[in-house]
């Protein structure tokens, strides 16, 4: 940590450029934007909390799921990556037991950290996440106290890029640096974020979002042992593929879908229970198919279909990682499309069953495939039901693809992203 004036000077002089580039993989344009945001945060911090005292600069990235749609909560395999959209913070200890957070575009929150139990009135809010993360750190024996923070996030809310995981990782990195001497691993920070989201925020998410955000780069993750997931970074440069990663906002409302999301792990769990197991990773593939009639009778057809998706997409995620490691990008694209078909046909997470007349994700996928004309790939992105579609677009088609999408979905619907080398990070 440094005095605020010293950090401002380092930003303005370009002394932090090398560190920012290492963390975020920024080009010149990206660096200019990061510098402006960090400078703004330091000024905001001084205005809100005073210009005295040492502070740090922190970052938590959004993430994109490359493979393994809804496989993590069944202890399966996923392929994911951190992206160059992030949440940034300027933060420092305040000597109290209150966390005071000022986030651009959001109401101020003050959290009493002497109250470490979930507060029902906070469910679904960022205050719940902060309280939950602090509670877990303290439970693990770390001397967390109050802090001040100014936060600015460009991770699109409701976009399937996991703005909540970026926020959780950011708060975890701040607490780890301010009070724990950076002793907590990035995997532990991800697990703490998931705990806060499950127990305090009230969303039964898996660990993939937080882990991809915390670790950074492209990561192949095996959740067979969720207490100690096997995480492997892949040495693959997406820029070498000749394709750009695009996330497309379908225009559908991504909020208020917790019941739809929760039904997937519940129904997959019901299918696993037919074999005396709690998750599908522990069910033998051949035994499942040999007893399909039993699964249909005891758990229902949709549960059976969602179990089929798990078995298919769990293997597909492994094959995708292998394709990238062998530099076979066209095999990777074929597997992306295969995963997308499974999500639509078996997992059935392309639209909300309560509003079948609204199928923006389906329309977006169909439009993307029409514009790609047999090239690239497109699939539902993230949790599904609403929100976003992921596409891999040949570089020569980028502008044509953007124009075609915007003609139907509106200007600004396409977000071309870069993979970020590092995950949750202390910048300075």
């Amino acid at each position: 940590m440094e005095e605020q004036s010293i950090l401002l000077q380092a930003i303005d002089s370009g002394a932090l450029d090398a560190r920012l580039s290492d963390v975020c993989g920024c080009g010149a344009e990206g660096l200019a934007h990061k510098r402006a945001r960090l400078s703004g945060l330091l000024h905001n911090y001084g205005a809100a909390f005073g210009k005295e005292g040492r502070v740090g600069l922190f970052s938590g990235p959004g993430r994109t799921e490359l493979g393994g749609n809804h496989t993590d909560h069944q202890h399966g395999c996923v392929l994911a990556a951190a992206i160059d959209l992030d949440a940034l913070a300027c933060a420092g200890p305040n000597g109290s037991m209150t966390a005071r957070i000022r986030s651009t575009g959001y109401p101020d929150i003050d959290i009493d950290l002497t109250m470490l139990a979930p507060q029902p009135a906070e469910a679904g809010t960022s205050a719940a996440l902060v309280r939950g993360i602090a509670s877990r750190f303290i439970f693990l024996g770390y001397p967390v106290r109050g802090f001040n923070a100014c936060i600015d996030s460009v991770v699109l809310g409701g976009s399937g890029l996991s703005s909540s995981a970026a926020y959780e990782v950011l708060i975890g990195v701040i607490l780890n640096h301010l009070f724990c001497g950076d002793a907590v691993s990035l995997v532990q920070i991800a697990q703490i974020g998931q705990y806060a989201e499950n127990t305090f925020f009230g969303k039964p998410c898996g660990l993939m979002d937080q882990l991809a955000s915390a670790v950074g780069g492209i990561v192949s993750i095996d959740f067979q042992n969720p207490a100690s997931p096997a995480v492997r970074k892949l040495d693959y440069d997406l820029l070498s593929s000749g394709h750009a990663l695009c996330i497309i906002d379908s225009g559908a409302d991504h909020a208020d879908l917790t019941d739809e999301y929760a039904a997937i792990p519940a129904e997959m769990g019901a299918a696993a229970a037919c074999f005396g197991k709690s998750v599908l990773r522990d069910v033998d593939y051949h035994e499942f198919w040999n007893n399909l009639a039993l699964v249909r009778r005891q758990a229902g057809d949709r549960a059976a279909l969602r179990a089929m998706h798990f078995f298919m997409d769990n293997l597909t995620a492994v094959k995708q990682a292998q394709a990238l490691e062998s530099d076979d990008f066209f095999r990777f694209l074929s597997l992306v499309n295969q995963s997308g078909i499974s999500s639509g046909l078996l997992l059935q997470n392309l639209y909300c069953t309560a509003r079948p007349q609204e199928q923006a994700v389906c329309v977006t996928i169909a439009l993307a495939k029409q514009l790609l004309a047999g090239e690239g790939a497109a699939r539902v992105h993230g949790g599904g039901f609403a929100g976003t579609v992921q596409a891999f677009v040949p570089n020569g088609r980028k502008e044509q693809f953007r124009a075609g999408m915007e003609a139907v979905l509106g200007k600004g619907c396409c977000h071309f992203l870069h993979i970020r080398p590092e995950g949750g990070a202390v910048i300075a």
Side-chain angles (χ1 to χ4, degrees), residues 77-99:
C77 299
V78 301
L79 186 67
I83 56 170
D84 54 346
L85 300 180
D86 67 354
L88 292 174
C90 174
N94 61 25
S96 73
M97 284 301 292
T98 300

Side-chain angles (χ1 to χ4, degrees), residues 247-264:
I247 300 298
I248 309 149
D249 183 356
S250 70
D253 185 2
H254 197 77
D256 300 322
L257 292 170
T258 297
D259 289 346
E260 293 278 3
Y261 296 137
I264 292 178

Side-chain angles (χ1 to χ4, degrees), residues 88-336:
L88 292 174
C90 174
N94 61 25
S96 73
M97 284 301 292
T98 300
R100 300 184 176 94
I101 299 176
R102 310 295 179 253
S103 297
T104 306
Y106 294 90
D108 297 347
I109 57 173
D110 293 346
I111 303 120
D112 180 356
L113 299 182
T114 65
M115 299 172 61
L116 298 178
Q119 304 297 304
E122 289 179 349
T125 70
S126 55
L129 296 176
V130 176
R131 190 182 305 280
I133 292 166
S135 171
R136 197 63 176 169
F137 269 95
I138 292 171
F139 174 81
L140 294 172
Y142 294 101
V144 166
R145 296 184 61 80
F147 63 97
N148 300 326
C150 285
I151 295 175
D152 174 65
S153 178
V154 293
V155 185
L156 309 168
S159 66
L161 297 173
S162 207
S163 57
S164 58
Y167 188 87
E168 291 156 21
V169 168
L170 179 70
I171 297 297
V173 170
I174 290 171
L175 297 186
N176 191 29
H177 189 68
L178 296 186
F179 305 109
C180 312
D182 297 315
V184 181
S185 72
L186 290 169
V187 170
Q188 287 177 296
I189 287 173
Q191 292 170 324
I192 290 168
Q194 182 204 21
Y195 166 82
E197 189 158 347
N198 290 172
T199 307
F200 284 69
F201 187 89
K203 182 176 179 180
C205 67
L207 182 57
M208 187 266 286
D209 292 355
Q210 293 84 356
L211 203 48
S213 175
V215 174
I218 299 176
V219 287
S220 176
I221 311 169
D222 186 338
F223 289 105
Q224 187 166 28
N225 179 3
S228 182
V231 182
R232 183 165 52 89
K233 269 197 172 187
L234 274 59
D235 183 18
Y236 185 81
D237 181 6
L238 185 61
L239 295 175
S240 69
S241 71
H243 290 70
L245 169 63
C246 184
I247 300 298
I248 309 149
D249 183 356
S250 70
D253 185 2
H254 197 77
D256 300 322
L257 292 170
T258 297
D259 289 346
E260 293 278 3
Y261 296 137
I264 292 178
E267 290 181 7
M268 287 185 176
C274 296
F275 303 91
K277 307 296 183 181
S278 59
V279 293
L280 286 169
R281 180 66 177 268
D282 295 335
V283 176
D284 180 79
Y285 172 80
H286 298 291
E287 187 179 358
F288 168 81
W289 281 102
N290 289 338
N291 292 277
L292 181 58
L294 170 69
V295 177
R296 293 183 67 197
R297 184 169 61 252
Q298 292 190 2
D301 282 350
R302 192 170 70 169
L305 290 167
R306 285 175 162 172
M308 292 176 199
H309 167 81
F310 168 79
F311 289 119
M312 178 179 291
D313 224 38
N314 189 53
L315 181 59
T316 298
V318 174
K319 290 179 178 178
Q320 285 178 268
Q322 293 169 344
L324 292 181
E325 289 182 307
S326 61
D327 199 22
D328 189 350
F329 194 72
F330 288 99
R331 171 66 172 154
F332 171 80
L333 291 176
S334 174
L335 291 164
V336 171

